[in-house]
Every structure is written in C-alpha cells, then in structure tokens.
Amino acid sequence: MAAWARQASRWRCLLQAAGAAGFPRRLRGGGSSAGRACRGFSPLAPLPSRSDLPPWRWQAHRHGSVGKWSLPDSAKDGSFSSHESNLPSPVKQEQAKAETLPDPNAKIPYEDWDDIPPSSALEEISEEEAVRIIAEPILPLQSSTLRDYVDHSETLAKLVHLGVDLSQVEKRQKAGQLLLTLDFEKHIRKILLFLKDVGVEDNQLGPFLTKNPYILAEDLEALETRVAYLKSKKFGKAEIAQMVSRAPYLLLFSVERLDNRLGFFKNELGLSVKKTKDLVIRLPRLLTGKLEPVKENLQVCQIELGFQHNEIQQIVFKTPKILTANKKRLRQTFDYLHNIMGIPHHMLTRFPQVFNSKLLRIKERHMFLTFLGRAQYDPAQPRYISLDQLVSLPNEVFCTEIAKASIQDFEKFLKTL
C-alpha cells in the first residue's frame, strides 16, 4: 500500500511539473511550487515542436493533441499503445473514477428511472404519500393451516374456486405441503382433464380432490395405464366413472395390486367373474381398503354366526357392506334377530339388508309389534311381516300399513321404554 502511494505521488508531481513547463492549464502557485512539491525530481524538458519530430512521429503526436485524442490505425490491430497505456494501474483507476462521476445537475432519462436507488428509511414523506402506500401481506414462514397461504398461491386459490376444502386436505398427512409445491398449469390441469375424461363430473372434482389430493402428484401415464387395465377387465366407461367417484383412492393402486384384489374376492368367495365385477362396482372401496377386516368378517359369519359357505356368498353378493361392517355390531344384530326375534339363518340369508340397519330401530319396531300382537315373521303364517318391511319403511308407513296403528301411538309407546 505504501509503495502504491509513493508511485502515485511521483506521477502526480510529474504531471504538475509538465503543466508548469508548457501545458495550457497551469497549476496554482507556478512552477516553483511544483518544484518544491516534487523535491528531488528534475523539471521536465519542454515538449518538442512538430518540426523537431521525425516524420514517423508526426501521426502519433497529432493524435495525441489535447481535445482531439483518437487512436491511429495501427492501434486497431494492437500494434500501437497510447501514453495512457503506459500509466501505472493506480493512476488509470483514478482517471476512470474521475470520468464516471455523475453530473449532479444532469437529468435522468426515463428509461433509467428503474435504476434509481430506493429512498432512505429515514426520509420524511408527506401524509398523501403515506396514504398511498399499500403494505403487502407477509407470507408466514410456518403455519398449521393452508388458509394463510391462499392469498399468496395461485394454485391454492384456483383449487378453492374449484370446490376443494383445504381445511379437510390439511388434515391428511403431508397433503398441505404437496399442494404448496405444485403449479396449477404445469401439474394440476392435466390431472383435472384426465379425471373429466374418465367420467368424474365437474361438480365432483372439488370433493374428489378433497378426499384424494395425492392424485395430483401421480404420473399421468400411470393413471392412464390403470384405467386401461379396468377396461381390459370388461368394466364399462360408466362403471369405471362410478368406481372412481365412489372410491377416490382407486387410481392410486398399481395394476398389479388391482389385479390381486379382484383375484382375492373371486377366489375367497367363490364368485364368478361377472359377480365379482358386480360386487366391486357396487362397493369399489373393497379394492382400496384393507383386507384384514374383510377376512375377519368372513370368519365371524362362518364360525361365530354359523352361516354356510353358500349362504355367505349370497349375503355378500346382496349386501357387500357386510364385509366391512363393524364386527361387534354385526354380532349384536345377529344375536337379537336370531335369538330374540327367532329369525332362522335361511331368512337372514334371504334378507341380509337387515344387517345394515341400526339395532335400535330393529328393537323399537319389534317391541311395538310384539305389544300389538303382530310380531309375525314366518312367511308360512298369516299376517307375515318381512324383514325388509320391518327396517326399510319410514315410521308413518310402518305404523299405518304394518302395525295398523297411528304414529302418535308409536311415539307414546317409545316414551314408555
């Protein structure tokens, strides 16, 4: 750093002395001050005139005249360098800085307004300017709800407009983080078009994605392959649309897994291909749910409830929900129907829909019929009441047509229980 300062001082003194020797601009204080400032240096000799210069030096001298500096032709190919190129780098840096200093009075062109540095935070502004300032909402770095990001995310805003319930989506594991990483045009639009092509109605797209937001991250080609597999198994377009709408997770399953599920129900229940298809069309979540509860319910029906294999086939085919029913409720309903009401197995096999009814509803109506002396469930006897009539009819119809009583009588009876 000291060597650089000494070199800069030496060249500054030389320039001052040159000005004192004959340059148009003189230093204040004359040549004596220049000599004193540059003590130890001899003054520069006067610049030679044109007549004193050799002809081959004229061109360089002419181009080097003050106010008309330009490079000679030889400099274009790099064979000639001006006297500026011989200056030490610190001096050239100082000259460059001097040349780039802006004029404070100069007007800034319109195209350079974007380069104007921002105002200081301490700069005072008028009340009118303060009123016009609109503060952007701060994007939270971390939040437990997607609601805080809707105003900042075009993807979330469009999903809400589509009918997606973000309050339900964020309850699903990592679903909220997934939506924040997706671009609507790049990732989501193609999935929506695919679902519409499969047969999902426009008004069902929102509820569908609310239940299964993970499909938005699936590969489109893989989804098309799974639909093609279902078509190869002779599922019609309307049937596939019904299955996908009622079981939103269906298309997340690979072709191999779907094939294994269909094979399980066909072999485990001994159903034909046609009946197996009909079974999963009516309850498509059999293909997406866990198989352990299904296996347990089949064992309960056979071992604990005492149904034969062919009876189980008929019950499951007519009422697929029995495969996913709560085991405790299944046992309690069977116990009341079979042991209290005296309904035999073959009658339960004929009307398995009774297992889908609430046990309280069955108890209330059976006790009311018993109170009236009309609880008769044997088709071979007069005043026969089928299990379907017992559980499926609304209260008004049940009272007038089955119990032969008024709805007020039924309500009074229920209060005595």
Side-chain angles (χ1 to χ4, degrees), residues 26-221:
R26 292 183 176 274
L27 296 175
R28 185 171 52 187
S32 60
S33 62
R36 286 194 301 271
C38 302
R39 187 174 303 168
F41 291 93
S42 59
L44 289 178
L47 289 176
S49 65
R50 177 174 179 179
S51 60
D52 298 333
L53 293 174
W56 58 274
R57 296 285 302 275
W58 290 355
Q59 185 179 7
H61 181 69
R62 181 171 62 252
H63 286 282
S65 59
V66 178
K68 296 181 180 179
W69 176 262
S70 62
L71 292 177
D73 295 337
S74 60
K76 297 178 181 179
D77 58 2
S79 61
F80 174 81
S81 59
S82 69
H83 73 277
E84 287 185 357
S85 64
N86 296 324
L87 294 178
S89 58
V91 176
K92 290 190 287 185
Q93 292 175 0
E94 292 295 331
Q95 292 181 356
K97 292 180 180 178
E99 292 174 357
T100 58
L101 288 177
D103 184 358
N105 298 322
K107 294 184 178 180
I108 302 176
Y110 294 115
E111 59 269 16
D112 294 337
W113 281 6
D114 291 339
D115 299 331
I116 298 177
S119 302
S120 170
L122 301 179
E123 181 180 350
E124 295 184 2
I125 61 176
S126 65
E127 293 184 1
E128 294 181 356
E129 292 175 331
V131 171
R132 289 196 297 266
I133 295 177
I134 300 177
E136 294 292 337
I138 300 177
L139 180 64
L141 298 178
Q142 185 176 359
S143 177
S144 59
T145 175
L146 289 174
R147 180 179 54 192
D148 296 336
Y149 297 94
V150 173
D151 293 336
H152 307 276
S153 172
E154 180 183 4
T155 296
L156 294 183
K158 289 185 176 180
L159 289 176
V160 170
H161 182 73
L162 196 64
V164 177
D165 188 348
L166 297 182
S167 65
Q168 296 298 320
V169 171
E170 63 192 18
K171 295 178 182 179
R172 305 184 186 279
Q173 186 177 11
K174 297 183 179 180
Q177 295 91 323
L178 170 64
L179 294 187
L180 290 174
T181 61
L182 297 178
D183 179 83
F184 189 88
E185 297 297 330
K186 183 178 179 181
H187 303 105
I188 298 179
R189 181 179 292 276
K190 60 183 180 181
I191 302 298
L192 295 177
L193 294 175
F194 165 78
L195 291 174
K196 291 183 64 176
D197 185 64
V198 169
V200 180
E201 299 293 336
D202 291 350
N203 60 352
Q204 291 299 316
L205 289 174
F208 181 94
L209 295 179
T210 299
K211 296 177 182 178
N212 180 20
Y214 306 107
I215 197 173
L216 298 176
E218 286 290 306
D219 180 70
L220 182 60
E221 184 177 351

Side-chain angles (χ1 to χ4, degrees), residues 308-347:
Q308 301 297 318
H309 183 71
N310 63 327
E311 292 175 334
I312 295 176
Q313 282 182 332
Q314 296 181 51
I315 291 173
V316 170
F317 183 73
K318 293 178 180 179
T319 313
K321 286 184 179 180
I322 199 170
L323 293 174
T324 58
N326 180 272
K327 294 186 292 296
K328 181 179 180 181
R329 189 167 68 91
L330 187 60
R331 295 188 188 100
Q332 291 176 344
T333 301
F334 174 82
D335 179 69
Y336 191 84
L337 289 169
H338 183 69
N339 298 321
I340 303 300
M341 296 174 59
I343 309 297
H345 282 82
H346 71 275
M347 290 294 297

Side-chain angles (χ1 to χ4, degrees), residues 361-405:
R361 185 186 186 92
I362 297 174
K363 288 182 177 181
E364 290 175 347
R365 293 190 174 188
H366 170 69
M367 288 188 290
F368 184 56
L369 292 175
T370 301
F371 174 76
L372 297 175
R374 303 183 65 86
Q376 209 293 97
Y377 308 109
D378 185 356
Q381 300 296 325
R383 295 185 300 177
Y384 162 69
I385 299 175
S386 69
L387 295 179
D388 182 55
Q389 292 174 324
L390 178 70
V391 298
S392 63
L393 298 176
N395 284 338
E396 293 80 1
V397 179
F398 167 76
C399 291
T400 57
E401 296 186 7
I402 304 301
K404 306 299 182 182

